[in-house]
Amino acid sequence: MTHIVSRHDVRTAPAVSALLELLSGQDVARFQRATGYIESGRTDLGVAFELSGDVHRADAVRDVLVKLTGPSLALAPSSIVRGKHDCFQGKALATVWSLKAPTAPVREAVAVCLDTGLVTYRGKRSRSWTGEATVRALVRTAQPADWRDLAGRVQVFNFGAQRVSYGQAQSLLATVLSDLDAVRAWSQDGLAALNKRGGKF
């Protein structure tokens, strides 16, 4: 059984209970640490986050993370291809949607999120990065992706085990959003756990 590092009153809050139901089948403790990292505004660990599998669960969880972060950017990969890297300015969380497995432009978008302005290319299919992330990337895909040389820098959460209807997911989402303070407290406990682990998700 996964141990959730939270105060008892936070764990039993209806909003947190609804979020945990959306997370069915996930490593809840790892997701809690990731949520704490995202909500905190930190970018120093240089990671991106992929939400894949069941579209209704993944989209609802994405909406929760965007709400926790505040103003965010729905970024089309074409913006990156056209070289509009300045669209990241002033943003903490860039969201990239891809209904299929990530194409090269999507992977490039994530790479730019991880190291804005520090992307170097080694041929058409290989890249390397230096420095720290200035933006976090949140990616929604239909299937778990092959991140190639981004392996180790993308935290993957796959919601494919148990599918729910759109109505069920939206009902749970509404409950989560009705008490974001409780969800923030839960995520802050996750951040504390992440710090105790030395930044390991």
Side-chain angles (χ1 to χ4, degrees):
M1 180 176 180
T2 301
H3 176 61
I4 305 170
V5 186
S6 283
R7 298 177 289 273
H8 179 73
D9 58 336
V10 172
R11 291 201 308 270
T12 57
V16 174
S17 297
L19 178 58
L20 298 184
E21 190 169 345
L22 281 172
L23 295 175
S24 177
Q26 294 302 300
D27 182 341
V28 175
R30 183 168 67 96
F31 187 86
Q32 184 187 20
R33 294 190 291 269
T35 302
Y37 176 75
I38 291 172
E39 194 268 337
S40 72
R42 286 174 54 183
T43 59
D44 56 294
L45 297 182
V47 296
F49 302 91
E50 177 193 349
L51 309 179
S52 64
D54 181 50
V55 61
H56 302 314
R57 287 186 189 275
D59 283 354
V61 171
R62 176 202 65 202
D63 290 347
V64 172
L65 294 175
V66 170
K67 284 288 187 180
L68 287 174
T69 306
S72 63
L73 177 65
L75 177 69
S78 58
S79 297
I80 299 301
V81 175
R82 291 195 296 267
K84 296 182 179 179
H85 296 176
D86 59 348
C87 63
F88 289 106
Q89 292 181 357
K91 301 296 182 179
L93 178 68
T95 54
V96 181
W97 283 266
S98 175
L99 294 180
K100 298 180 180 179
T103 60
V106 173
R107 288 195 298 273
E108 181 177 348
V110 174
V112 174
C113 285
L114 286 172
D115 296 295
T116 304
L118 296 174
V119 180
T120 58
Y121 295 88
R122 295 178 179 175
K124 294 182 178 180
R125 295 187 178 182
S126 179
R127 308 176 183 86
S128 62
W129 296 268
T130 58
E132 294 183 348
T134 58
V135 182
R136 291 185 307 283
L138 178 65
V139 185
R140 238 288 290 136
T141 64
Q143 300 294 331
D146 174 9
W147 288 105
R148 302 180 187 177
D149 50 350
L150 271 176
R153 300 191 66 182
V154 179
Q155 289 288 316
V156 178
F157 297 95
N158 183 8
F159 297 85
Q162 293 180 311
R163 298 187 181 278
V164 298
S165 69
Y166 174 79
Q168 289 173 311
Q170 289 301 302
S171 177
L172 290 169
L173 174 61
T175 301
V176 176
L177 298 183
S178 70
D179 189 2
L180 278 178
D181 286 343
V183 178
R184 282 197 176 92
W186 180 82
S187 73
Q188 288 164 7
D189 288 342
L191 180 62
L194 178 67
N195 291 336
K196 288 182 179 178
R197 291 168 56 90
K200 295 181 180 180
F201 290 98

